[in-house]
Amino acid sequence: MESRIRLGLIGYGEVGKIFSAGLKAQPGVAAVGAWDLKFARADTGAAERAHAASAGVQAHDSAAALCAASELVISAVTASSTLAVAEEAARHIRPGTLFLDLNSASPGTKRQCAALIDGAGALYVEAGVITSVPPCGIRVPMLLGGAQAAALAARLNGWGMDARAVSEQLGVASAIKMCRSVMIKGLEALVVESYAAARAYGVEEHVLPTLQETFPSIDWAAQGAYFFQRVAQHGQRRAEEMRESARTVREAGFEPLMTTAIADKQQWVAEQARAGVFHGVDQGARWQDWADALLRARAA
């Protein structure tokens, strides 16, 4: 029988909370701990630590403490923090520890992270998380890459996850993820821009039916509402991911003209959200409600 393993999550945001809740009850998991910079902040520390305690997750005081207590470290932070987390973990991680990098970063960034973790004697595995985590939980499809990818995928699948090793070569899994993200986050940005403009002109009742006719398998009203909600809630994280996608395109030898524009649009929506533009719009609102919030801000 495979021994039980102690997990440590670096990052206790949306993904960290979902993964810790889903994994702590698995028979092959002995304990789950987490470390997040929010644990140390005066304005968020008490609430985040209380959440962890209620979820049966040990809130560690530092990355060093988490690494000391874990046989598998999972990095689940924003794209812009991917390399910084690997640098910090490499200073403390114990030899032989598995390091699973879930973050949305370019192949080049992932290779930099691998060099740091492997250089410390630990075992780096990259992951490309293929769709949004909240609807799927720990069953979210993941592609793994690296020398330990196949072995780790087997272990994760035994815990009820959906992991598939795609290559022993680092960068393949992240390339799949980031190229896909150009399309998905690009569709989000296009929908926000197109729908808001159509609403401003009062022509949405003409525009959406033509989209429905051209792509009948998509419910454009429902999909639009979902896209607006996700971008309003996570625009900053998406903007950072798209900057890594732009890096991915650039590493392939192309100028990321479209990808950079997508990042800019996601960033703009994030700034609107921070300014309170969407205050009072429920998460399950119609796309028209999200667009109207943008229109009111434009007119203010």
Side-chain angles (χ1 to χ4, degrees), residues 7 15 20 36 43 45 53 85 143 181 218 222 237-238 261 272 289 293:
L7 302 183
V15 173
S20 60
D36 194 295
D43 59 334
V85 164
L143 305 178
S181 288
I218 300 173
R237 189 171 74 194
R238 281 160 153 70
Q272 301 306 300
D289 299 319

Side-chain angles (χ1 to χ4, degrees), residues 50-250:
H51 185 286
S54 68
V57 176
Q58 181 180 356
H60 290 284
D61 293 329
S62 65
L66 178 135
C67 288
S70 307
E71 285 99 35
L72 169 59
V73 173
I74 301 175
S75 179
V77 296
T78 57
S80 62
S81 299
T82 300
L83 184 57
V85 164
E87 289 171 341
E88 177 71 11
R91 288 193 281 269
H92 307 292
I93 200 164
R94 295 178 297 137
T97 300
L98 285 161
F99 185 95
L100 177 60
D101 191 338
L102 298 182
N103 305 311
S104 299
S106 76
T109 299
K110 291 288 182 84
R111 292 188 195 104
Q112 286 180 276
C113 293
L116 292 163
I117 298 300
D118 291 347
L123 306 169
Y124 181 92
V125 178
E126 69 165 338
V129 180
I130 295 303
T131 190
S132 183
V133 173
C136 304
I138 64 169
R139 289 287 302 168
V140 66
M142 293 192 300
L143 305 178
L144 305 188
Q148 299 296 320
L152 182 56
R155 185 185 284 266
L156 297 180
N157 291 334
W159 295 342
M161 300 180 75
D162 183 4
R164 179 165 64 93
V166 293
S167 179
E168 293 186 357
Q169 179 184 347
L170 285 169
V172 174
S174 54
I176 296 169
K177 157 69 176 179
M178 302 311 284
C179 292
R180 179 183 184 277
S181 288
V182 174
M183 289 296 296
I184 299 302
K185 272 62 176 185
L187 283 173
E188 291 176 348
L190 286 170
V191 162
V192 169
E193 189 155 302
S194 172
Y195 283 30
R199 188 74 165 163
Y201 284 107
V203 297
E204 66 270 22
E205 291 184 3
H206 298 277
V207 172
L208 266 69
T210 66
L211 295 175
Q212 199 68 54
E213 182 179 351
T214 305
F215 301 101
S217 63
I218 300 173
D219 183 335
W220 285 94
Q223 193 66 56
Y226 179 72
F227 280 166
F228 266 96
Q229 182 264 317
R230 293 301 290 173
V231 178
Q233 185 176 3
H234 297 298
Q236 185 63 49
R237 189 171 74 194
R238 281 160 153 70
E240 293 179 11
E241 178 178 329
M242 292 318 297
R243 293 185 187 107
E244 280 294 318
S245 290
R247 189 189 304 272
T248 301
V249 174
R250 193 172 287 112

Side-chain angles (χ1 to χ4, degrees), residues 12-23 133-138:
Y12 197 63
E14 180 181 53
V15 173
K17 288 181 172 73
I18 290 171
F19 271 58
S20 60
L23 292 174
V133 173
C136 304
I138 64 169

Side-chain angles (χ1 to χ4, degrees), residues 8-52:
L9 283 139
I10 300 180
Y12 197 63
E14 180 181 53
V15 173
K17 288 181 172 73
I18 290 171
F19 271 58
S20 60
L23 292 174
K24 67 183 180 64
Q26 299 302 317
V29 177
V32 176
W35 158 245
D36 194 295
L37 291 173
K38 295 193 296 291
F39 290 170
R41 284 172 44 183
D43 59 334
T44 57
E48 291 296 321
R49 286 176 176 273
H51 185 286

